Amino acid sequence: MQSSLWLALAGAGVLISFTPGAGAINTMSNSLISGFRRSIWGILGQQAALIVHVVIVALGVGVLVAGSPVAFNVIRYAGAAYLVYLGIRQFLHKPDLDQEKAAALRNEPAWSMFRRGLWVNLLNPKAIVFFLAFMPQFIRPEHPLLPQYAVLTATVVAIDILVMWFFFAAAAKSFQRFTHNARGQTILNRVFGILFVAVGILLALIH
């Protein structure tokens, strides 16, 4: 891939990653509950979903999903429902200042965080449609395709990890003071719960 084309890809990747969405909300929520360092597991789950989306589009399945209203809507509503479920669960979560229970929450298994991040991004058919429009701009069919897809995927994933971890997860640190009392925990739970539900509803309504 030419350096000028890669720079354009990197710039687009930065803009995409900084666009607030379910992944950013999930990352900030994980950082608040489990800490900055452990939030990486949810971020890695989100990247695994991103790689799946790239593979789907590269194999041409994305064209079928984008062209099939039924398939698109099934995935879209499933994703919206999952986000609304996460939001309601977060909203209704009662504050707990018990040190042992708080420690248990902070020590959520890495696989659980990874899996949640995976599903948050995987159940987003708009990502497939987006990559369907985005990827061809940086792929030159006259050159070998596999190396180009590898560079594109590695670039987008690396940028998203950096933005999610060092911007969104780090930004959540400023809210840590709210976690030390019941009122602050309630506020945070309701704020993030509402954000999850709002993103889920938008995913279901916006075409």
Side-chain angles (χ1 to χ4, degrees):
M1 182 177 291
Q2 295 177 346
S3 57
S4 58
L5 189 62
W6 183 85
L7 288 173
L9 170 64
V14 170
L15 290 175
I16 295 164
S17 295
F18 272 110
T19 302
I25 296 169
N26 185 59
T27 297
M28 294 182 73
S29 177
N30 284 338
S31 182
L32 274 171
I33 295 172
S34 300
F36 170 76
R37 294 177 65 181
R38 300 197 74 246
S39 68
I40 188 62
W41 293 109
I43 294 170
L44 292 177
Q46 293 168 197
Q47 304 316 308
L50 186 152
I51 293 172
V52 171
H53 284 146
V54 171
V55 171
I56 287 174
V57 172
L59 293 176
V61 180
V63 178
L64 298 178
V65 173
S68 171
V70 174
F72 182 85
N73 284 328
V74 166
I75 300 174
R76 179 161 64 95
Y77 288 125
Y82 183 65
L83 291 175
V84 170
Y85 159 74
L86 288 179
I88 292 174
R89 189 178 69 170
Q90 182 102 23
F91 188 91
L92 297 177
H93 184 74
K94 295 181 180 179
D96 195 342
L97 299 177
D98 183 278
Q99 294 300 316
E100 291 185 5
K101 291 183 179 180
L105 285 174
R106 287 195 299 271
N107 294 320
E108 179 184 2
W111 170 243
S112 175
M113 298 172 70
F114 181 93
R115 185 174 62 244
R116 187 169 60 252
L118 174 71
W119 285 113
V120 162
N121 267 9
L122 197 60
L123 291 173
N124 183 4
K126 289 188 179 297
I128 298 177
V129 177
F130 172 79
F131 277 113
L132 196 60
F134 173 80
M135 287 170 56
Q137 313 302 321
F138 303 98
I139 299 297
R140 296 296 177 261
E142 66 272 15
H143 298 301
L145 295 179
L146 187 58
Q148 294 184 77
Y149 280 119
V151 170
L152 184 147
T153 304
T155 300
V156 173
V157 166
I159 289 172
D160 202 53
I161 289 175
L162 291 173
V163 171
M164 287 295 154
W165 206 19
F166 292 105
F167 181 77
F168 288 109
K173 286 184 176 181
S174 61
F175 298 107
Q176 286 288 351
R177 63 183 183 277
F178 290 101
T179 64
H180 301 310
N181 59 73
R183 184 172 180 274
Q185 287 185 21
T186 299
I187 292 172
L188 285 178
N189 286 337
R190 290 181 177 176
V191 167
F192 279 96
I194 290 171
L195 287 174
F196 269 120
V197 170
V199 172
I201 292 173
L202 285 174
L203 181 63
L205 296 180
I206 296 177
H207 296 276

